């Protein structure tokens, strides 16, 4: 299985440059942790026989013993190690071990090679095997400390450091590991406290520091991936989880994190399958139990809410969506859809302002949610907030340029233009479908209310305000009582400046009551 690329400590790199660390400076052949085998005796010339007679030297007919061959393999491995050809060195050390399986030095050398290949688990296995062969092998304990630190095993690191110091109280070989393991303990405490308070950004920050000290610690990697998923950074989390699964396909924690990523991207069914797989591997995996339950609950509530909405039971659907939103505040993808659905429900039951609020929350979670943007624009339009409607449609058009959105934007701009004119229907207090007779009755009523003579005894400010209203009532009647002007006004054309410049509200009033309230010489008196 391929190893991930992670850093090795500088102290270990320094070890590789020393031939003494590799046990290569020897006289003769090294066996076990220190036994020497004398070199092969050289043959005398008299022992040589004529090759033509088919007889070779005694050296050629006497095979080398296993220890001699193993030592040669080790020396070749050392050369490859120094040249940084670690794969070649690994094979040669393995050959040496096969020939002399009781040599602690050979296991120690292969452990060092594994460390340079960043295979800390295999390195740790070899270093511990070397210790079983030679319990006093100090360098093996040093390598155990380095491997345990890289793997995030604090207790294992501390135990190895303790043994090194017991073997050699003056040793400085693990001084770096002593400092690092203390810092790692402090980081773990900080990480746990932040995790407990759901401060996931802080957890990721401190885990990055921990991973610099323990680059091969799968526990730290997966905890970081879990927090990234909680933060909505599912792509990064998934990459970490998949990387760990390549190293260990039976890792319940890695499968849990992958399920978490599926859950937070609204793939609930696959998420449930992953949580169940994690529980198959580890029936006591508490987090998978929690998430499987939450996943099933959300899936069921979502489906029930949608069914109620489609059947027109809007208020019941509203309750379901509201309850579903309480399940997991971190699931932005699902919550944005639940909020949008609830906004739709609010439009069906006439709660336009609540619908706008829900759409606002959707767009806070996902600014690219086009359906929510269009729904909010429609609500703004219905609430006669035309400037907001235009702004939303313009944003929507930037996201997706379609003929439908272009038309909606044109309509919104037209409504905005109309809204900036005087609303003559509103001034007269009538609907847009009012008949001619209703328009006349409305004018008569409003004109009498706001006529200046009625307010002759009011303050100057009040008289000015009533005069303005009287004028607006006259303008409204002048437009809406004229079929041509009314048609132009309803179509949004500008007619006020040209055709209303010389408008006289008093003349309009006199004309109306002369032809609609009596003869030419009739007079009108207010009743107080």
């Amino acid at each position: 299985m391929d190893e991930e690329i992670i850093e090795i400590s500088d102290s270990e790199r320094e070890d590789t440059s020393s031939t003494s660390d590799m046990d290569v400076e020897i006289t003769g052949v090294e066996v076990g942790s220190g036994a020497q085998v004398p070199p092969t005796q050289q043959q005398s010339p008299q022992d040589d026989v004529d090759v033509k007679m088919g007889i070779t030297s005694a050296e050629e007919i006497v095979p080398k013993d296993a220890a001699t061959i193993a030592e040669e393999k080790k020396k070749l491995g050392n050369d490859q190690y120094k040249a940084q050809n670690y794969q070649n060195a690994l094979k040669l050390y393995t050959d040496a071990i096969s020939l002399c399986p009781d040599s602690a030095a050979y296991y120690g050398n292969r452990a060092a090679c594994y460390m340079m290949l960043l295979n800390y688990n295999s390195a740790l296995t070899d270093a511990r095997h070397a210790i079983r062969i030679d319990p006093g092998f100090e360098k093996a304990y040093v390598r155990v400390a380095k491997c345990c630190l890289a793997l995030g095993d604090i207790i294992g690191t501390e135990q190895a450091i303790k043994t090194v110091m017991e073997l050699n109280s003056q040793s400085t070989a693990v001084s770096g590991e002593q400092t690092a393991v203390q810092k790692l303990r402090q980081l773990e405490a900080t990480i746990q406290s932040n995790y407990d308070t759901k401060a996931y950004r802080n957890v990721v920050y401190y885990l990055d520091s921990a991973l610099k000290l323990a680059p091969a610690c799968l526990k730290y990697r997966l905890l970081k991936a879990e927090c990234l998923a909680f933060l909505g950074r599912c792509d990064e989390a998934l990459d970490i989880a998949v990387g760990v699964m390549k190293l260990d396909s039976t890792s319940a924690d890695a499968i849990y994190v992958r399920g978490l990523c599926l859950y937070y991207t609204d793939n609930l069914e696959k998420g449930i399958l992953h949580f169940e797989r994690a529980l198959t591997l580890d029936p006591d995996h508490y987090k998978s139990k929690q998430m499987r339950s939450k996943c099933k609950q959300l899936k069921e509530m979502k489906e029930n809410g949608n069914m109620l909405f489609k059947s027109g039971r809007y208020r019941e659907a509203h309750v379901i969506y509201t309850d579903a939103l309480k399940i997991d505040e971190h699931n932005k993808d699902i919550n944005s859809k639940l909020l949008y659905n609830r906004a739709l429900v609010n439009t069906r039951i006439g709660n336009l302002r609540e619908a706008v609020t829900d759409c606002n929350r959707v767009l806070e979670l996902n600014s690219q949610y086009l359906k929510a943007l269009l729904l909010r624009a429609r609500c703004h339009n219905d609430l006669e907030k035309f400037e907001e409607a235009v702004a939303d449609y313009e944003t929507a058009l930037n996201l997706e340029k379609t003929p439908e959105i272009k038309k909606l934007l044109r309509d919104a701009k037209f409504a905005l233009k109309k809204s900036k004119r005087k609303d003559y229907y509103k001034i007269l207090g009538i609907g847009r479908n009012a008949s001619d007779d209703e328009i006349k009755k409305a004018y008569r009523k409003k004109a009498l209310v706001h006529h200046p003579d009625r307010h002759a005894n009011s303050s100057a400010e009040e008289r000015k305000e009533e005069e303005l209203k009287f004028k607006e009532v006259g303008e409204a009647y002048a437009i809406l009582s004229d079929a041509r002007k009314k048609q132009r006004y309803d179509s949004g054309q500008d007619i006020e400046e040209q055709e209303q410049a010389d408008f006289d509200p008093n003349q309009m009033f006199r004309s109306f009551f002369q032809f609609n309230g009596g003869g030419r010489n009739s007079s009108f008196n207010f009743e107080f």
Side-chain angles (χ1 to χ4, degrees):
M1 185 175 295
D2 294 335
E3 294 298 322
E4 292 192 14
I5 304 301
I6 48 181
E7 294 182 358
I8 188 168
S9 65
D10 291 339
S11 59
E12 182 63 28
R13 293 186 184 279
E14 291 171 1
D15 287 343
T16 64
S17 63
S18 172
T19 56
S20 61
D21 184 50
M22 298 294 295
D23 300 314
V24 294
E25 297 296 335
I26 57 173
T27 302
V29 181
E30 185 176 6
V31 180
S33 62
Q36 301 290 326
V37 177
T40 305
Q41 298 294 326
Q42 297 294 324
Q43 302 299 318
S44 65
Q46 288 81 1
D47 293 329
D48 291 340
V49 182
D50 192 344
V51 175
K52 292 180 181 179
M53 297 175 64
I55 300 174
T56 61
S57 66
E59 182 179 6
E60 291 175 332
I61 63 174
V62 177
K64 296 178 181 179
D65 58 43
T68 302
I69 299 173
E71 183 63 18
E72 291 176 353
K73 293 284 187 182
K74 188 193 85 165
K75 287 180 179 179
L76 290 173
N78 292 344
D79 292 338
Q80 293 296 314
Y81 185 95
K82 292 173 191 175
Q84 299 183 6
N85 298 324
Y86 301 118
Q87 289 289 356
N88 293 340
L90 186 68
K91 183 179 184 304
L92 290 163
Y93 291 142
T94 300
D95 290 344
I97 288 170
S98 297
L99 293 164
C100 286
D102 294 329
S103 171
Y106 295 171
Y107 279 102
N109 285 9
R110 191 169 71 173
C113 195
Y114 273 129
M115 290 174 70
M116 297 309 294
L117 291 169
L118 309 179
N119 187 346
Y120 293 104
N121 283 306
S122 295
L124 184 60
T125 299
D126 274 359
R128 284 176 170 163
H129 194 90
I131 290 169
R132 283 194 293 272
I133 296 171
D134 181 4
F137 193 179
E138 180 185 339
K139 287 182 180 178
Y141 288 106
V142 172
R143 292 190 179 115
V144 168
K146 292 178 184 293
C147 290
C148 286
L149 180 64
L151 292 166
D153 180 359
I154 292 176
I155 294 176
T157 305
E158 291 173 338
Q159 289 175 343
I161 291 172
K162 181 182 177 182
T163 305
V164 170
M165 300 311 295
E166 288 173 351
L167 291 171
N168 181 3
S169 61
Q170 303 300 316
S171 176
T172 59
V174 289
S175 58
E177 284 66 36
Q178 283 179 309
T179 302
V181 79
Q182 290 173 2
K183 187 175 181 181
L184 200 58
R185 269 202 179 279
Q186 294 172 351
L187 281 169
E188 280 203 354
T190 304
I191 288 166
Q192 187 62 52
S193 64
N194 279 277
Y195 183 88
D196 291 342
T197 58
K198 299 183 179 181
Y200 299 122
R201 292 185 190 281
N202 292 345
V203 175
V204 170
Y205 173 79
Y206 290 115
L207 278 169
D208 283 338
S209 297
L211 283 165
K212 289 177 182 177
L213 299 172
C217 182
L218 300 186
K219 179 181 71 173
Y220 294 163
R221 289 192 211 175
L222 290 171
L223 183 58
K224 178 181 178 180
E226 180 186 15
C227 292
L228 288 171
F230 288 147
L231 293 169
R233 294 160 63 180
C234 290
D235 288 342
E236 297 172 68
L238 190 59
D239 285 344
I240 294 173
V242 171
V244 172
M245 289 176 70
K246 287 179 179 178
L247 297 173
D248 180 7
S249 61
T250 62
S251 169
D253 287 335
I255 294 169
Y256 156 76
V257 170
R258 193 174 183 187
L260 205 60
C261 294
L262 291 165
Y263 164 75
Y264 279 116
T265 52
D266 195 18
N267 199 333
L268 298 179
E269 289 188 9
K270 286 188 177 180
I272 291 171
L273 291 175
H274 277 71
F275 298 135
E276 289 178 344
R277 170 61 177 160
L279 287 167
T280 300
L281 295 168
D282 180 3
D284 297 322
H285 201 278
Y286 178 69
K287 291 179 179 179
S288 290
K289 286 181 181 178
Q290 277 191 317
M291 288 309 304
R292 180 181 63 177
S293 175
K294 188 179 290 187
C295 216
K296 287 182 175 180
Q297 187 180 8
L298 257 179
K299 182 174 179 290
E300 181 180 350
M301 294 184 78
K302 239 181 102 177
E303 290 172 350
N304 287 343
N306 294 346
M307 181 271 293
L308 291 168
F309 178 85
K310 291 176 182 177
S311 62
R313 296 158 65 183
Y314 300 124
R315 295 193 181 277
E316 293 176 68
H318 189 283
V319 172
I320 293 292
Y321 289 138
T322 300
D323 289 342
L325 283 164
K326 298 174 185 176
I327 293 176
D328 188 353
E329 62 181 10
H330 295 293
N331 198 326
K332 295 181 179 180
D333 200 25
I334 289 179
N335 287 347
S336 62
K337 292 175 182 177
L338 290 170
L339 284 165
Y340 172 75
N341 289 353
R342 193 173 71 175
L344 275 177
V345 169
N346 278 320
T347 62
R348 300 298 171 89
I349 60 179
N351 295 337
L352 294 182
R353 287 181 175 80
E354 289 81 354
V356 169
T357 299
D358 281 344
C359 288
N360 290 341
R361 290 182 60 189
V362 172
L363 294 167
E364 286 173 4
L365 296 173
N366 180 6
S367 60
Q368 308 293 306
Y369 204 128
L370 183 61
K371 288 183 177 180
L373 194 59
L374 292 173
L375 180 59
R376 187 174 72 176
R378 194 180 83 196
C379 291
H380 280 319
N381 192 71
D382 293 343
L383 291 167
E384 298 186 357
K385 295 183 176 182
F386 301 114
E387 289 185 356
E388 290 88 340
V390 169
D392 279 347
Y393 283 128
E394 286 176 340
T395 304
L397 191 62
N398 288 331
L399 293 176
E400 188 174 307
K401 299 185 185 301
T402 65
E404 180 184 1
I405 297 176
K406 288 180 181 178
K407 182 181 183 304
L408 290 170
L409 177 58
R410 284 196 303 270
D411 292 345
K413 286 182 175 179
F414 177 68
L416 174 61
K417 181 180 178 182
K418 287 174 66 177
S419 71
K420 292 183 179 298
R421 302 177 308 164
K422 292 178 181 178
D423 188 342
Y424 291 138
Y425 290 100
K426 187 175 182 180
I427 289 171
L428 292 181
I430 56 176
R432 293 186 174 272
N433 297 321
S435 65
D436 291 344
D437 189 50
E438 288 172 330
I439 292 171
K440 288 178 181 179
K441 288 180 179 179
Y443 171 69
R444 180 186 182 89
K445 179 180 177 181
K446 294 284 185 180
L448 291 174
V449 170
H450 299 296
H451 194 282
D453 289 350
R454 190 182 185 94
H455 303 278
N457 297 326
S458 301
S459 65
E461 186 177 348
E462 290 174 342
R463 287 198 305 271
K464 185 176 181 179
E465 183 179 349
E466 292 300 328
E467 286 174 4
L468 179 60
K469 290 180 179 179
F470 180 68
K471 182 180 179 181
E472 287 180 339
V473 168
E475 287 177 0
Y477 181 69
I479 297 298
L480 300 182
S481 63
D482 185 303
R484 182 181 66 84
K485 292 179 182 179
K486 183 175 182 295
Q487 189 277 328
R488 292 185 64 189
Y489 174 79
D490 289 342
S491 65
Q493 298 182 48
D494 296 325
I495 58 175
E496 298 171 30
E497 293 183 3
Q498 296 179 355
E499 302 195 24
Q500 295 293 92
D502 299 326
F503 173 75
D504 184 348
N506 292 304
Q507 179 61 41
M508 169 64 71
F509 183 84
R510 287 192 295 271
S511 297
F512 179 86
F513 282 99
Q514 180 178 0
F515 293 105
N516 294 283
R520 179 177 296 274
N521 296 320
S522 64
S523 60
F524 178 83
N525 295 313
F526 287 106
E527 294 181 0
F528 296 101

